[in-house]
Amino acid sequence: MSALFPTYARWNIKPETGIGSTLIDASGKEYLDFISGIAVCNLGHCHPKVISAVQKQLEKLWHVSNLFEIEGQEKVAQLLVDHSVGDYVFFCNSGAEANEAAIKLARKSTGKHHIVSMKNSFHGRTLGSMAATGQDKIHQGFGPLLTEFTYIEMNNASSLKEAVTEDTAAIMVEVIQGEGGIRLMTEEFASALKAICEQYGCLLIIDEVQTGIGRTGTAFAYEQFGLDPDMITLAKGLGNGFPVGALIGKEGLKEAFTPGSHGSTFGGNPLAMAAAEAVLNEVFTLPLLESVQAKGKWFKAELESLNSLSLVEEVRGKGLMLGIACEIEVAPIIEACREKGLLVLPAGPKVLRLLPPLIVTDKELKKATDILTDVLTTIDAKQGVNL
Ligand SMILES: *Cc1c(COP(=O)(O)O)cnc(C)c1O
């Protein structure tokens, strides 16, 4: 019996403690956690620097209204603009709220309403971010939706050209679709995006809620796609598990977010800022980002040797955001990995999603590789012949 709305299909594990890449359940069983709270605990569970930063703030001041200047906000905003193409930051509490803020700012700053987003995208569950999400199953039963969204196939430049008009306020996109199956934007599509934004003067919003904060081996993933976004949205990895979201925007957008135009009671809360500052001081350093690139490269190359199995279609992704696209549904693979002590996620029905913490060790990556190889080889031997 549970007094909770059954919005989540729960797994049969009760996590109790976590340390680094390891999650320990109530029975004492240890798991190698390659879910990381869905790209949230990028520095692993219970990172000492994040704990100590939050603890310090906990004893000083938990909350004040945004009527007051909050020092932590100034520091975290400065770190975010120093490491991105943006100039100003708005803080909120989640990815959906960051996207909501981006949609509002796009409308207000351009005076237009039309937004183009991608099929298979995921931008959140609020009415605005849900409307931006190009998946029927997310919309079902919640209509009528916020209007003036057009969904196009990612990497289809001709659909993009057809969809964008003089009335388009913004294009909203993930450079690597997370929930949508670790699908990468092509170079051609990235160039088409740039060209069309220039031609029509529409804004480019990049949703980095999952790809941001070092996950792909650079501070933000858009850097690797040659893009120059007007807005960047963040959440997941920003607080390493402390709820916090952010919208980064360019100079020209400042005039549209005047006092009273947008806000959030908890947005930029001192505790959230303490967590985020500690996270960014760790993640936005060359040694950490270079180690993510190196570890990601090694892991991807190891996984690519599984390409010889008939059930493996493709290994894709960047840094430590990797997917194994399979010919079969991945639920039994995830279950078998779990039994062997490795937690991995799906990204759609046929893609395994691997999101180890950025601090994962070589030894842990090797262990995960061995488990995945074992599980996939066994299932392939049983089912692969029929594919
Ligand atoms: C998780 C996610 C969101 C939504 O974030 P919430 O914090 O759950 O609201 C938005 N966009 C992307 C790309 C995500 O992965």
Side-chain angles (χ1 to χ4, degrees):
M1 268 288 283
S2 169
L4 294 168
F5 275 115
T7 46
Y8 307 102
R10 309 277 192 185
W11 291 23
N12 194 19
I13 296 178
K14 288 203 176 93
E16 211 169 65
T17 51
I19 177 93
S21 312
T22 305
L23 204 60
I24 304 151
D25 78 5
S27 74
K29 183 168 163 127
E30 292 193 3
Y31 296 91
L32 199 45
D33 183 3
F34 275 35
I35 296 177
S36 303
I38 316 193
V40 168
C41 302
N42 282 2
L43 293 175
H45 298 288
C46 294
H47 189 279
K49 288 195 180 156
V50 184
I51 291 181
S52 121
V54 175
Q55 244 163 13
K56 252 198 206 147
Q57 187 60 46
L58 206 50
E59 286 165 15
K60 240 164 89 181
L61 184 68
W62 285 29
H63 179 81
V64 283
S65 159
N66 273 309
L67 289 167
F68 301 98
E69 186 182 310
I70 296 169
E71 197 194 348
Q73 290 184 12
E74 302 292 337
K75 287 189 191 161
V76 179
Q78 195 59 49
L79 281 164
L80 291 172
V81 301
D82 283 350
H83 291 87
S84 72
V85 294
D87 302 296
Y88 293 101
V89 179
F90 173 81
F91 288 110
C92 51
N93 311 288
S94 68
E97 278 176 77
N99 287 329
E100 205 67 39
I103 294 165
K104 286 181 71 175
L105 185 54
R107 284 184 166 198
K108 192 149 186 271
S109 64
T110 61
K112 300 171 186 177
H113 313 123
H114 179 235
I115 292 178
V116 174
S117 69
M118 306 296 130
K119 288 181 184 165
N120 274 314
S121 58
F122 185 78
H123 299 297
R125 306 283 193 162
T126 58
L127 282 165
S129 63
M130 173 179 72
T133 296
Q135 295 189 56
D136 289 342
K137 75 165 200 270
I138 304 275
H139 299 158
Q140 238 162 49
F142 296 114
L145 298 179
L146 195 63
T147 56
E148 297 194 51
F149 281 87
T150 303
Y151 314 111
I152 62 156
E153 212 60 68
M154 185 159 82
N155 294 336
N156 186 331
S158 60
S159 302
L160 179 70
K161 283 182 194 125
E162 272 168 41
V164 176
T165 71
E166 296 291 345
D167 294 323
T168 304
I171 303 169
M172 187 176 222
V173 64
E174 300 153 87
V175 288
I176 304 176
Q177 291 185 335
E179 305 302 308
I182 315 292
R183 281 177 231 255
L184 279 77
M185 185 184 287
T186 59
E187 261 176 53
E188 298 77 52
F189 193 74
S191 314
L193 265 181
K194 263 165 81 172
I196 210 129
C197 285
E198 223 160 87
Q199 185 183 346
Y200 289 98
C202 68
L203 301 169
L204 180 59
I205 304 169
I206 302 200
D207 180 340
E208 293 250 12
V209 171
Q210 191 159 154
T211 52
I213 321 294
R215 175 54 54 189
T216 67
T218 45
F220 303 101
Y222 73 79
E223 300 165 39
Q224 297 179 58
F225 292 79
L227 291 168
D228 183 15
D230 299 284
M231 293 188 230
I232 303 155
T233 57
L234 297 173
K236 294 198 166 91
L238 182 55
N240 211 54
F242 204 102
V244 56
L247 162 69
I248 309 176
K250 283 208 164 164
E251 172 77 42
L253 300 166
K254 192 183 178 191
E255 300 309 317
F257 262 2
T258 46
S261 58
H262 192 54
S264 161
T265 298
F266 291 129
N269 166 286
L271 293 173
M273 293 298 103
E277 189 189 349
V279 166
L280 297 184
N281 280 330
E282 281 298 295
V283 173
F284 287 172
T285 59
L286 211 51
L288 190 285
L289 293 173
E290 280 177 352
S291 82
V292 173
Q293 289 165 23
K295 285 184 276 195
K297 212 169 158 184
W298 182 87
F299 194 31
K300 192 167 177 223
E302 286 292 303
L303 296 174
E304 273 167 348
S305 66
L306 296 168
N307 271 333
S308 59
L309 300 177
S310 48
L311 70 74
V312 173
E313 192 187 296
E314 187 189 18
V315 177
R316 57 191 182 224
K318 280 187 186 288
L320 289 171
M321 181 175 183
L322 298 176
I324 307 177
C326 295
E327 301 283 354
I328 60 166
E329 301 218 336
V330 294
I333 301 174
I334 290 172
E335 173 67 23
C337 286
R338 186 175 71 90
E339 274 167 24
K340 292 188 184 295
L342 173 67
L343 303 178
V344 295
L345 272 179
K350 292 186 171 179
V351 181
L352 277 180
R353 180 167 31 157
L354 309 170
L355 300 166
L358 309 184
I359 50 88
V360 70
T361 63
D362 294 347
K363 207 171 141 210
E364 288 164 341
L365 282 178
K366 175 82 176 80
K367 188 173 168 198
T369 305
D370 291 345
I371 294 174
L372 283 163
T373 304
D374 182 12
V375 165
L376 285 164
T377 309
T378 307
I379 294 181
D380 192 71
K382 278 192 218 144
Q383 305 197 355
V385 283
N386 300 320
L387 292 169

